[in-house]
Amino acid sequence: YLTPAKDPMKDKTGNGLNESAGSAGKPGKKEQDLPEAGKSGEESFAGQDDERAGRTNSREFKRVRFKKKVLVNNQIMVEALDISKKGLFLHTGRSFEDGTVIEVGIPTRPGNFDLKVSAMVRHNHRGIGMGMMFVDMDDTTVMQLEKLIDELGDTATNDLAGRKKVLLTGGTATTRNINKSKLVLDGFYVQLATTADEIFQIFERETVDVMVLDWQDTEYNCQEVLTKIRETPAYENIIRVVLSVFTDSGVQQEIMDAGAHRCMARMDTNPAKLSLSLSQLITARDG
């Protein structure tokens, strides 16, 4: 019911691309990964929500989706993606150096940036956003923030139930974060995995609608992951999209035979195109 995309990249050198073969289809050393959003103690993207908090039962690390405009330094409007008692993540192309302390005006009611907090830049992913840690908060501010998080948390479960779940794997941390940022803004619930073990651990606790894999990834064998998914009835409804450096007809066929629903050219697939493709595939499956 799903057919591979007709991608324009036509390189005839992509033969024998599975990881165990170590063939010419594999690219060289990956670019250096930036720190992964959602992996540290203070930072995550929306969509991680209370996953880690549920395991620790610690209110301090509870994160909730907070897709709202905030006011930075009383002059720059940017969009927040999630918030916790410890900090928040801002989606913005504007950058501040790590360690910079800024003022953030957070709306507790529409049109009023009444909750003023100081926050230090912990992780600056240029072109994506910034992971912020709250600093120098007095007791009143802490109480206001906790009240806001509790109110947001009351609606988080219902909000999550209405979002389609995406699992992003492979590529560099930079690429994953850029794609995740766009998908979250488009209303998806997004999680990240870098190894085969992480992929199947997520499957055990989540119902995933669609996953994105990288055919040339060096952290897992894409062909083996696809084969395991295809051979496991519980995973049969997961839509599998594979990004590849090479997308000539032979490579596409190899990827489709391994169990993918669509093959897309990695270099031609920007975040907007990926988001649109995932939406179309989910609509086709559910329609």
Side-chain angles (χ1 to χ4, degrees):
Y1 58 93
L2 300 172
T3 57
K6 299 298 184 182
D7 292 309
M9 183 179 283
K10 302 293 182 181
D11 189 317
K12 298 301 183 181
T13 63
N15 297 315
L17 299 183
N18 73 65
E19 184 174 13
S20 60
S23 66
K26 284 201 169 289
K29 183 178 180 181
K30 283 200 260 184
E31 67 181 85
Q32 182 66 36
D33 278 2
L34 290 176
E36 183 111 41
K39 295 293 186 181
S40 70
E42 291 80 24
E43 176 189 335
S44 75
F45 277 42
Q48 297 293 89
D49 295 329
D50 301 328
E51 177 190 343
R52 285 177 298 279
R55 292 199 292 271
T56 64
N57 291 319
S58 170
R59 182 181 185 183
E60 188 174 32
F61 293 102
K62 179 178 180 181
R63 294 175 179 80
V64 293
R65 178 175 164 88
F66 187 65
K67 190 178 174 184
K68 295 181 181 293
K69 296 289 186 181
V70 299
L71 188 63
V72 173
N73 288 342
N74 208 34
Q75 59 182 349
I76 307 171
M77 293 280 287
V78 302
E79 188 158 26
L81 293 185
D82 69 13
I83 190 169
S84 76
K85 181 180 174 181
K86 282 289 190 179
L88 76 168
F89 191 89
L90 302 181
H91 174 76
T92 174
R94 301 288 291 270
S95 294
F96 294 86
E97 295 300 321
D98 289 359
T100 302
V101 176
I102 63 176
E103 181 186 83
V104 181
I106 299 172
T108 63
R109 53 185 183 274
N112 190 342
F113 301 97
D114 53 307
L115 179 53
K116 304 289 187 181
V117 296
S118 294
M120 182 174 67
V121 180
R122 288 296 303 274
H123 304 285
N124 176 17
H125 305 287
R126 295 188 181 278
I128 307 171
M130 300 182 294
M132 313 295 301
M133 183 179 73
F134 296 136
V135 296
D136 301 328
M137 292 196 297
D138 58 31
D139 291 342
T140 300
T141 302
V142 170
M143 291 177 61
Q144 288 179 291
L145 184 61
E146 289 178 348
K147 182 175 183 293
L148 173 64
I149 291 170
D150 286 343
E151 291 172 350
L152 292 168
D154 289 340
T155 62
T157 300
N158 291 335
D159 176 65
L160 176 59
R163 288 188 278 162
K164 297 300 183 182
K165 297 180 180 180
V166 177
L167 176 59
L168 290 178
T169 77
T172 66
T174 304
T175 300
R176 288 190 296 273
N177 288 334
I178 291 172
N179 285 332
K180 181 172 185 177
S181 182
K182 172 60 177 172
L183 291 170
V184 168
L185 289 175
D186 287 350
F188 289 100
Y189 170 97
V190 183
Q191 293 197 82
L192 306 176
T194 57
T195 68
D197 285 343
E198 289 178 0
I199 290 171
F200 291 104
Q201 287 169 7
I202 289 172
F203 286 169
E204 288 179 1
R205 64 176 186 265
E206 299 279 358
T207 301
V208 175
D209 289 286
V210 58
M211 68 181 304
V212 179
L213 303 104
D214 189 316
W215 190 247
Q216 286 88 16
D217 195 74
T218 58
E219 297 297 325
Y220 62 81
N221 186 310
C222 185
Q223 187 171 34
E224 290 181 358
V225 169
L226 285 169
T227 299
K228 182 173 180 178
I229 293 172
R230 185 184 58 189
E231 294 176 349
T232 306
Y235 306 149
E236 64 182 358
N237 287 328
I238 300 174
I239 299 169
R240 284 89 70 184
V241 175
V242 175
L243 304 180
S244 176
V245 173
F246 309 107
T247 53
D248 62 273
S249 58
V251 174
Q252 281 203 31
Q253 190 60 53
E254 185 179 3
I255 291 172
M256 300 301 288
D257 288 346
H261 293 111
R262 176 166 294 183
C263 171
M264 302 179 70
R266 186 197 298 168
M267 297 300 294
D268 293 340
T269 304
N270 60 34
K273 181 177 180 180
L274 180 63
S275 181
L276 177 61
S277 297
L278 298 189
S279 295
Q280 291 172 338
L281 289 166
I282 290 171
T283 299
R285 182 197 64 184
D286 298 344

